[in-house]
Amino acid sequence: MYTHEDLAALQAQSLKMQGFIRRQTFSPEHEKTLRRFSSWEVSELIFKINQSTFRGRFAADPDLPGGEVEEDGRQRWFSLTEINELRRKMKINRSSLMPKRPAGKRAIRAAISNFKGGAGKSTVALHLAHAAALDGYRVLVVDFDPQATLTHSMGLHDVSEELTVWGIIARDLVHETDRMNAAPRAAESGTALPQRRLPASVRDLGLGDLRVTDFIRPTAWPTIDIVPSCANAAFVEFASAQYRHLNPDWSFFAAVSRYLDALSSDAYDIILFDCPPAIGYQSMNAVFAADVLYIPSGPGYWEYDSTTSFIGQLAEALEDLAHGFDGTFPAGKMRLPKAFIDMRFLMTRYEPGNELHRAMYEAFCKVFGDTVCKEPIEMTRAVEQSGRFLSSVYEIDYRTMTRETWRRARASFDRAYEEFKSCMLAAWDKMEDEQ
């Protein structure tokens, strides 16, 4: 027989093992640090110029950050901060190396979501965030998944549940209830409006007093921030159901959207959501806040079946929200029914030489048409190794394996990122300017 006490004891053992793994994986201070990037990586893979041109710029401008030089003098190694300074100062053929960013518009938001656990949602979110940061974008990732895989991969472990998506949702309940209660009443408005009362157990949490920035944590990447998650945040589904009962008029699904709208429109360029493998209060907040929906799927039949179920249930949930809040949803930046600017299906763990994988990719294309990404993410040894060490391919030093193995894995994610970037830029063009 096993009770809650046995489960708690097993968790304590597991936490000790997690600490051991972190000590083996991260720095001696148990903090994740970002490696430096070689001049070869910076020139050919990040700036996409040849090394001779890159070296020529250094010879012509001694004020450029020089990075760290190896003892033999053959290779320079740059931090991401130095890379971004180079990006701002250097021009190639009179063209800026800064990434495209339309003026007057807020950050583009993309949700990485599907039912199936193991579809690669966290892996995709992690690699897209890192690729975008290397491309010069400022990124905010929001971890909606109580498994907190993305949070751990970003190097964060001691996270308070109040400062997760659950805290954002609870904070929104307080703010929205106060807003509703402050509306004109009775004779003043000609309408008798109920006073919605929140119990002390909710008010006394103090979440309503938190600032928007209190939920955001820095990471080892200087241009990536995160709204983290933790295992204790798993009760958000139960708490949110209780919150809806306290205030039935509260548009719970728009809490994160309202939170992000309160950020400065120029604070970030790209916001990525890593969603849990279920349709619930957290995942509905993610998809409602997203401009673009990215749906990863493995190459097997059961993953195709799960993806089909996911889009069907998501369609029903969004339809129910559109009808349930018809006429009562507050006007402003959010609208019902929810509409995505774009939607893409991305195949993960793909093996080009596998006949079944090719057949499933063709089936995806036949059913979902142009919404299927043309660049599936290939499964390679470097990808497996990156997952084992809580890192992306971009974080792994290519000297720890053969350069060809590393480069093949990176090339797959690079192609997927370039397609993602094209999708984001097109969505940005269709997005309305900030008022």
Side-chain angles (χ1 to χ4, degrees), residues 162-408:
E162 289 88 357
L163 300 179
T164 65
V165 168
W166 167 70
I168 290 174
I169 291 175
R171 174 181 180 270
D172 186 77
L173 169 67
V174 174
H175 287 189
E176 282 297 287
T177 300
D178 290 345
R179 181 187 64 81
M180 293 175 187
N181 287 341
R185 294 170 51 78
E188 182 183 358
S189 65
T191 305
L193 297 177
Q195 278 289 298
R196 304 158 184 87
R197 301 188 183 280
L198 298 180
S201 60
V202 175
R203 291 277 185 188
D204 291 349
L205 290 172
L207 296 174
D209 298 326
L210 291 178
R211 300 162 298 180
V212 173
T213 53
D214 289 336
F215 297 92
I216 297 173
R217 299 270 298 271
T219 71
W221 290 66
T223 51
I224 301 179
D225 290 340
I226 185 172
V227 175
S229 183
C230 67
N232 290 350
F235 68 86
V236 67
E237 297 299 319
F238 303 102
S240 299
Q242 178 191 17
Y243 296 161
R244 285 194 68 190
H245 177 73
L246 295 173
N247 185 350
D249 296 322
W250 173 50
S251 50
F252 67 91
F253 53 90
V256 173
S257 183
R258 282 188 286 263
Y259 167 79
L260 294 175
D261 286 340
L263 292 173
S264 168
S265 61
D266 192 44
Y268 300 99
D269 304 311
I270 296 174
I271 301 178
L272 290 169
F273 307 144
D274 184 25
C275 302
I279 291 182
Y281 291 98
Q282 294 189 83
S283 54
M284 289 308 297
N285 261 274
V287 298
F288 190 83
D291 305 303
V292 176
L293 180 62
Y294 245 63
I295 305 173
S297 174
Y301 172 77
W302 295 116
E303 289 152 315
Y304 167 74
D305 182 67
S306 177
T307 298
T308 302
S309 297
F310 168 72
I311 59 176
Q313 293 192 36
L314 180 59
E316 291 178 6
L318 291 175
E319 182 181 18
D320 289 345
L321 288 179
H323 293 318
F325 284 81
D326 184 32
T328 63
F329 192 62
K333 297 180 180 180
M334 299 162 285
R335 296 184 179 87
L336 288 175
K338 169 63 185 177
F340 301 102
I341 300 176
D342 204 346
M343 180 176 66
R344 299 294 174 96
F345 294 86
L346 173 64
M347 185 162 287
T348 59
R349 305 196 323 276
Y350 180 72
E351 298 174 8
N354 188 310
E355 186 176 343
L356 173 61
H357 290 194
R358 293 199 303 269
M360 288 306 302
Y361 180 75
E362 291 174 5
F364 266 76
C365 291
K366 186 173 183 178
V367 173
F368 301 121
D370 292 338
T371 60
V372 177
C373 293
K374 295 179 174 57
E375 299 293 346
I377 293 175
E378 297 182 17
M379 173 56 73
T380 68
R381 189 173 71 84
V383 173
E384 291 180 312
Q385 184 169 326
S386 70
R388 190 161 64 247
F389 290 103
L390 299 176
S391 301
S392 74
V393 169
Y394 299 104
E395 292 177 302
I396 293 177
D397 192 324
Y398 59 83
R399 294 170 296 181
T400 61
M401 62 185 73
T402 65
R403 184 180 291 199
E404 186 54 39
T405 299
W406 177 86
R407 189 164 189 171
R408 179 187 164 203

Side-chain angles (χ1 to χ4, degrees), residues 92-149:
I92 304 299
N93 297 325
R94 298 183 180 179
S95 297
S96 172
L97 293 174
M98 295 295 292
K100 293 182 180 178
R101 209 306 191 179
K105 298 188 178 183
R106 62 161 171 78
I108 197 81
R109 306 170 188 170
I112 317 296
S113 187
N114 201 338
F115 261 171
K116 193 84 170 71
K121 295 183 293 294
S122 297
T123 299
V124 169
L126 181 70
H127 281 81
L128 290 180
H130 289 175
L134 288 176
D135 200 21
Y137 288 109
R138 298 160 302 161
V139 183
L140 174 67
V141 292
V142 184
D143 193 351
F144 287 83
D145 192 346
Q147 296 177 87
T149 302

